[in-house]
Amino acid sequence: ISSGVAWDMQPRFSPDGQWIAFTSDRAGGDNIWIMKRDGTEPKQVSKESFRLVNSPAWSPDGRTVAFSANRAGRFDIYTVDIETREVKNVTDDETYDGSPVYSPDGASIIFSSVVGEKYSQLFRVDRAELRECTELVTDRKELAAIRRK
């Protein structure tokens, strides 16, 4: 459904199944793009000039996409509003933050972070507070809840 010499990767369907978010270098540097499920109407939604961008994840309402990007020599989590193209920085720390995913209700983003050189832990951003996840509770379909000690 995509073609050309670009690296199009990490496709993710929108919650309504009508759009696909993906990472692509089709305009130069890596960015988050969306396109209709049939490959038509490709639109660049992030505006990185030359950054490593990956792991797009749709919000449950389909209005934003979370992703990780390497700025200042480290990966942090960002969100981009699909309509306005506004990018917001979610994390800003010295660790390697990646693989964001929204909670089913959209109230928080769970992501992995490399702490030190050997450990990766899960964290959640909820109302601008960073909290370490202590237990993940899952159902058969998706991450369902997070419990803290």
Side-chain angles (χ1 to χ4, degrees):
I1 62 174
S2 71
S3 61
V5 296
W7 279 70
D8 295 339
M9 56 196 153
Q10 303 173 328
R12 304 291 186 268
F13 274 104
S14 63
D16 66 5
Q18 299 303 306
W19 293 88
I20 299 170
F22 60 101
T23 302
S24 180
D25 67 354
R26 60 178 57 199
D30 291 349
N31 274 286
I32 301 299
W33 288 69
I34 61 172
M35 66 180 165
K36 293 268 187 156
R37 66 181 297 148
D38 64 1
T40 61
E41 297 184 41
K43 300 175 187 177
Q44 182 178 340
V45 294
S46 69
K47 297 177 184 175
E48 300 295 323
S49 57
F50 186 76
R51 306 276 197 265
L52 296 174
V53 176
N54 58 47
S55 303
W58 287 93
S59 62
D61 64 9
R63 294 181 181 170
T64 62
V65 172
F67 61 96
S68 63
N70 185 348
R71 293 180 174 180
R74 66 179 187 272
F75 280 86
D76 285 310
I77 305 298
Y78 298 85
T79 60
V80 60
D81 183 290
I82 296 303
E83 292 299 319
T84 68
R85 310 296 198 259
E86 179 184 5
V87 175
K88 292 183 180 177
N89 186 229
V90 176
T91 64
D92 185 11
D93 53 41
E94 297 299 320
T95 61
Y96 177 105
D97 301 332
S99 304
V101 62
Y102 279 88
S103 62
D105 64 2
S108 55
I109 297 172
I110 291 78
F111 62 95
S112 63
S113 185
V114 175
V115 180
E117 293 183 16
K118 297 181 181 179
Y119 303 102
S120 180
Q121 296 176 336
L122 299 178
F123 290 84
R124 144 174 104 175
V125 175
D126 182 38
R127 297 187 187 136
E129 294 179 38
L130 191 62
R131 299 180 181 151
E132 184 176 345
C133 295
T134 56
E135 181 183 359
L136 294 178
V137 179
T138 61
D139 65 14
R140 293 184 184 143
K141 296 180 184 174
E142 60 187 327
L143 181 67
I146 292 180
R147 293 185 184 145
R148 284 176 275 133
K149 290 182 180 176

